Amino acid sequence: METTLVLLKPSCVQRQLIGEIVHRFERRGLRIAGMKMMQLDDAILREHYAHLVDRPFFPTLAASMQTSPVVALALSGLEAVGVVRAMTGFTNGRKADPGTIRGDYAMSNQQNIVHASDSVENAAIELRRFFRPEEIFDYKSGVFDFLYGVDEALQ
Ligand code: UDP
Ligand code: MG
């Protein structure tokens, strides 16, 4: 099983889409292992978007991420990192495929509803950035035996 980090960005919170987006992850069969609302400060955004701090759009990105709290989610499942990333879709909502979250809810390259970890390594780093260990819960889903085949469940 993998666990990945999702942030429901201010574009999601302000547009009152929290329930809809969480519902999509639940319907897919991902288990919510952690969930909390947070107001992000400059320090955590500079760390989280370290690969982008020198880009011209970084100041507007950081500002947009502080216009309201975000909702941090830890989502668990088999190959959860890749599954969630595929559900998220291409960065620019105008280019994202219909059926993906960005392709269904976003018209923007910046106000694109969700962040999702892009690799197993980054998921581990990002989960530590947004959650304390005791805020991530390891419990067995009541429908586990119907989400996975017996052989898969051993992975
Ligand atoms: N972003 C932006 N302008 C750009 C590219 C990215 O404002 O030209 C923002 C956008 O909100 C994106 C975030 O920076 O989600 C992180 O960029 P990244 O390339 O990591 O895309 P993601 O992994 O979110 O698809
Ligand atoms: Mg990224």
Side-chain angles (χ1 to χ4, degrees):
M1 292 289 152
E2 292 175 3
T3 303
T4 191
L5 177 88
V6 166
L7 298 177
L8 305 183
K9 296 181 176 187
S11 48
C12 176
V13 174
Q14 293 284 5
R15 289 175 56 198
Q16 301 184 221
L17 292 171
I18 294 172
E20 253 177 82
I21 304 303
V22 169
H23 188 214
R24 288 169 80 115
F25 292 127
E26 286 192 300
R27 258 188 351 200
R28 184 68 189 269
L30 290 148
R31 180 173 61 79
I32 298 175
M35 188 175 191
K36 67 173 173 178
M37 196 167 237
M38 303 169 72
Q39 180 65 44
L40 303 183
D41 62 18
D42 289 334
I44 200 168
L45 284 166
R46 291 186 76 80
E47 195 182 303
H48 186 62
Y49 287 129
H51 60 300
L52 300 173
V53 283
D54 296 327
R55 302 290 290 274
F57 60 81
F58 180 75
T60 60
L61 170 62
S64 75
M65 291 294 289
Q66 295 177 302
T67 54
S68 77
V70 302
V71 176
L73 298 171
L75 299 176
S76 295
L78 211 57
E79 298 178 38
V81 174
V83 167
V84 169
R85 190 77 184 168
M87 288 176 75
T88 297
F90 198 74
T91 304
N92 184 338
R94 295 189 298 279
K95 303 218 163 54
D97 290 331
T100 64
I101 292 168
R102 287 165 172 169
D104 286 350
Y105 296 97
M107 280 292 286
S108 169
N109 196 22
Q110 181 162 90
Q111 303 279 32
N112 57 6
I113 312 291
V114 283
H115 164 83
S117 303
D118 62 8
S119 67
V120 172
E121 297 71 34
N122 283 337
I125 293 166
E126 293 179 353
L127 286 164
R128 280 198 296 277
R129 181 173 299 142
F130 289 94
F131 288 95
R132 294 195 299 272
E134 65 270 23
E135 291 174 327
I136 296 184
F137 297 86
D138 188 16
Y139 59 97
K140 186 172 177 185
S141 160
V143 294
F144 184 87
D145 294 343
F146 301 92
L147 284 171
Y148 299 106
V150 174
D151 299 337
E152 292 171 306
L154 301 172
Q155 291 174 39

